């Protein structure tokens, strides 16, 4: 069974017997005039179907009694004339065969078929309140079914939100997903290495960005997973900076947060390095602090441990360093416990230490166990994929040592939780001070 069919079967088992689930892919979107944005399918839809064409809807009918579960695709019809302009399209018959659906129909038949498929079923599952137009379409189907009541037809009595079921499924990456994520991370890691080797003081940030995008595409990645951040100097203290138009200066650090999408799966890597190839003493102090924080976080990732543990491990290391280097006044705060109690560290480290990763950069899935009282942090399990990204961001201030002003550092890796702990899949990008300086030194000597 292909992985998409296996996921459809798993979802059907989680549904109420006889219930129907409906999931549409993403619509196409105009960029301007008659030019469209590059099309990207809906992640949930792709997770269950593997189908990438627009104007598509997936319907699952859960088994009931002697009736087996069924999967049905609605998609664009085969149209040779339109293919001349827009490229290949499967059409229902070929899509059913290629992707393992039980049935397939033209998308134009969706409304009529849904009035039939929703007759006499107990519940309909869909991503309600996600898209107003689709909500209205579902309401129209239900109205059509209710209109048959005099013939003894019963409409679904319940609407169930579909996405929570899929969120839990998507949290655990199967072998095929892990392989794609590893490929995505290898490509992105090579792009970070290329950017380091190409960097020269005086370049514009967008010139470095171009090196990333080139390496992504030449290795088969279809898109950047998000708009790359190439932030030099003080710009690195802006967490979501992405204008990427400043000229770099000798002595600046540059923070690059960039990942690619390979066959729909994202990578998300951050590296920070000196434009001149050598860390200054203050830069090195803070960089190695962040690296120690990441090491502590990675060591805290184990099956059965709470998700929150690796963030707490990183924050403890960072808070101690902030006291040691005078970013926080030890006379005022005394120790790490007081720093954390007063959240004084948030002045220099204001974000979490990671997030889920997969089909989306910030992937589906709850961070807390919603089934337990108090909603504690959920426990990690093999197959979960996440980022680990501690950082430190120091803006100028009278009570902050001037040597650290305008230093922004983040180190981010992609991790799959294994039986033995964290498995880092983004190691292609140099990370230690020695490795970064060596890579840049080799490039300066003509080794790029």
């Amino acid at each position: 069974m292909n992985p998409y069919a296996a996921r459809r079967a798993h979802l059907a088992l989680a549904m109420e017997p006889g219930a129907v689930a409906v999931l549409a892919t993403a619509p196409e979107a105009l960029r301007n005039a008659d030019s469209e944005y590059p099309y990207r399918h809906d992640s949930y839809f792709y997770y269950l179907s593997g189908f990438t064409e627009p104007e598509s809807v997936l319907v699952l009918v859960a088994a009931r009694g002697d009736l087996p579960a069924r999967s049905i695709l609605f998609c664009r019809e085969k149209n040779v004339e339109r293919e001349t302009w827009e490229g290949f399209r499967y059409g229902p018959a070929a899509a059913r065969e290629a992707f393992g659906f039980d049935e397939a129909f033209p998308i134009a038949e969706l409304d009529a078929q849904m009035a039939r498929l929703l007759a006499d079923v107990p519940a309909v599952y869909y991503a309600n309140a996600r898209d107003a137009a689709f909500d209205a379409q579902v309401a129209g189907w239900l109205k059509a079914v209710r209109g048959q009541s005099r013939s003894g037809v019963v409409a679904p009595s319940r609407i169930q939100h579909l996405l929570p079921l899929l969120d839990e499924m998507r949290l655990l990456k199967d072998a095929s997903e892990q392989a794609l994520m590893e490929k995505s991370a290898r490509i992105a890691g090579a792009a970070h290495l290329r950017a380091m080797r190409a960097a020269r003081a005086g370049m514009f940030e967008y010139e470095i960005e171009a090196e990333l995008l080139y390496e992504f595409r030449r290795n088969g990645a279809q898109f950047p997973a998000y708009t790359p951040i190439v932030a030099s100097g003080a710009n690195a203290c802006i967490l979501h900076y992405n204008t990427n138009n400043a000229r770099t200066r000798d002595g600046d650090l540059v923070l690059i947060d960039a990942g690619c999408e390979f066959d729909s799966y994202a990578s998300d890597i951050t590296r920070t390095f000196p434009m001149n190839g050598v860390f200054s003493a203050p830069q090195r102090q803070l960089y190695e602090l962040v690296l120690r924080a990441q090491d502590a976080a990675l060591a805290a990732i184990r099956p059965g441990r709470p998700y929150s543990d690796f963030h707490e491990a990183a924050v403890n290391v960072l808070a101690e360093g902030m006291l040691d280097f005078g970013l926080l006044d030890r006379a005022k705060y005394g120790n790490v416990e007081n720093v954390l109690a007063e959240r004084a560290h948030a002045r220099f480290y204001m974000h979490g230490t990671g997030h889920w990763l997969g089909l989306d950069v910030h992937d589906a899935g709850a961070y807390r166990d919603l089934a337990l009282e108090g909603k504690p942090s959920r426990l990690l399990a093999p197959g979960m994929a996440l980022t680990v990204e501690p950082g430190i961001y120091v803006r100028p201030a009278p009570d902050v040592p001037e040597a650290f002003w305008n230093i922004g550092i983040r180190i981010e890796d992609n991790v799959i939780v294994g039986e033995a702990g964290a498995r880092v899949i983004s190691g292609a990008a140099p990370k230690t001070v020695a490795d970064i300086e060596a890579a840049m030194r080799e490039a300066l000597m003509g080794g790029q």
Side-chain angles (χ1 to χ4, degrees):
M1 183 180 291
N2 72 56
Y4 306 104
R7 293 168 197 157
R8 295 194 294 267
H10 183 95
L11 176 60
L13 287 172
M15 294 162 53
E16 185 176 345
V20 171
V22 189
L23 185 61
T25 195
E28 296 173 292
L30 282 177
R31 184 180 186 276
N32 59 301
D34 62 350
S35 177
E36 293 174 337
Y37 283 103
Y39 182 70
R40 206 284 189 174
H41 44 266
D42 176 77
S43 292
Y44 290 102
F45 177 86
Y46 179 80
Y47 179 74
L48 292 175
S49 69
F51 195 66
T52 60
E53 292 184 17
E55 298 180 72
S56 304
V57 172
L58 171 66
V59 177
L60 294 181
V61 181
R64 177 164 57 177
D66 294 332
L67 298 175
R70 289 181 293 150
S71 61
I72 306 166
L73 178 71
F74 293 84
C75 65
R76 302 178 302 183
E77 290 192 83
K78 191 75 176 172
N79 187 316
V80 175
E81 181 180 355
R82 293 312 308 167
E83 287 184 70
T84 299
W85 291 90
E86 299 166 356
F88 174 80
R89 56 173 69 178
Y90 277 92
R96 180 186 61 78
E97 182 68 24
F99 295 91
F101 298 105
D102 297 303
E103 302 173 53
F105 298 96
I107 189 67
E109 295 184 18
L110 178 64
D111 288 342
Q113 291 289 345
M114 289 309 301
R116 175 181 66 85
L117 290 167
L118 292 177
D120 297 321
V121 303
V124 57
Y125 291 69
Y126 85 102
N128 59 314
R130 189 182 186 211
D131 178 84
F134 197 68
D135 286 343
Q137 193 170 16
V138 174
W141 300 336
L142 294 174
K143 183 178 180 180
V145 177
R146 291 179 188 126
Q148 304 173 61
S149 62
R150 290 186 180 181
S151 301
V153 174
V154 177
S157 60
R158 289 180 304 287
I159 292 176
Q160 302 285 347
H161 191 28
L162 175 62
L163 299 191
L165 291 176
L166 289 172
D167 288 346
E168 288 301 298
M169 290 173 60
R170 285 176 58 183
L171 261 179
L172 299 178
K173 273 58 180 182
D174 61 31
S176 64
E177 292 179 287
Q178 291 184 33
L180 290 171
M181 294 185 70
E182 289 178 34
K183 176 68 172 178
S184 180
R186 284 197 300 273
I187 295 171
H192 278 265
L193 176 57
R194 182 183 184 88
M196 288 180 193
R197 288 175 167 169
R200 302 289 186 275
M203 292 174 71
F204 284 94
E205 292 164 341
Y206 56 73
E207 295 180 83
I208 303 172
E209 180 184 9
E211 300 289 339
L212 296 163
L213 299 177
Y214 172 78
E215 193 70 14
F216 290 165
R217 198 68 187 102
R218 74 183 287 267
N219 284 290
Q222 291 82 7
F223 305 102
Y226 50 96
T227 303
I229 295 169
V230 183
S232 62
N235 293 334
C237 295
I238 304 171
L239 297 183
H240 292 161
Y241 173 86
N242 60 21
T243 50
N244 301 347
N245 60 5
R247 186 186 290 275
T248 64
R249 299 181 305 173
D250 188 23
D252 278 351
L253 292 177
V254 61
L255 183 157
I256 298 179
D257 187 335
C260 62
E261 186 173 292
F262 181 81
D263 285 1
S264 301
Y265 282 82
S267 48
D268 182 3
I269 300 172
T270 307
R271 293 292 187 263
T272 309
F273 58 89
M275 284 301 298
N276 61 14
V278 180
F279 288 87
S280 70
Q283 289 169 351
R284 181 171 185 146
Q285 284 179 308
L286 293 188
Y287 187 90
E288 292 189 333
L289 170 63
V290 175
L291 192 58
R292 290 195 301 275
Q294 195 198 46
D295 288 342
L298 290 169
I301 294 175
R302 293 285 185 278
R305 292 187 64 170
Y307 175 92
S308 58
D309 277 10
F310 76 91
H311 171 69
E312 293 170 5
V315 169
N316 272 275
V317 173
L318 290 169
E320 186 65 53
M322 291 173 194
L323 292 169
D324 290 343
F325 296 141
L327 295 174
L328 296 176
D329 186 352
R330 192 177 288 276
K332 178 178 180 181
Y333 295 105
N335 55 41
V336 168
E337 289 74 19
N338 292 333
V339 168
L340 300 181
E342 299 187 36
R343 290 192 51 77
H345 66 282
R347 179 180 177 187
F348 305 106
Y349 181 53
M350 61 292 294
H351 60 78
T353 305
H355 53 77
W356 303 130
L357 183 67
L359 284 166
D360 299 321
V361 178
H362 288 246
D363 207 37
Y367 293 90
R368 294 184 175 275
D369 193 328
L370 305 181
L372 296 180
E373 185 177 353
K375 301 178 182 178
S377 180
R378 75 179 310 141
L379 302 183
L380 296 174
M384 291 179 173
L386 58 144
T387 66
V388 180
E389 51 178 306
I392 196 164
Y393 314 92
V394 186
R395 294 177 177 274
D399 60 340
V400 173
E402 188 173 353
F404 298 127
W405 286 6
N406 293 320
I407 292 179
I409 296 166
R410 184 163 63 252
I411 305 170
E412 179 180 17
D413 277 296
N414 301 167
V415 167
I416 295 174
V417 181
E419 296 289 350
R423 180 164 65 88
V424 176
I425 61 173
S426 49
K431 184 167 65 174
T432 67
V433 167
D435 286 348
I436 290 171
E437 291 185 345
M440 300 184 74
R441 183 167 58 249
E442 289 168 7
L444 288 169
M445 295 171 64
Q448 183 178 359

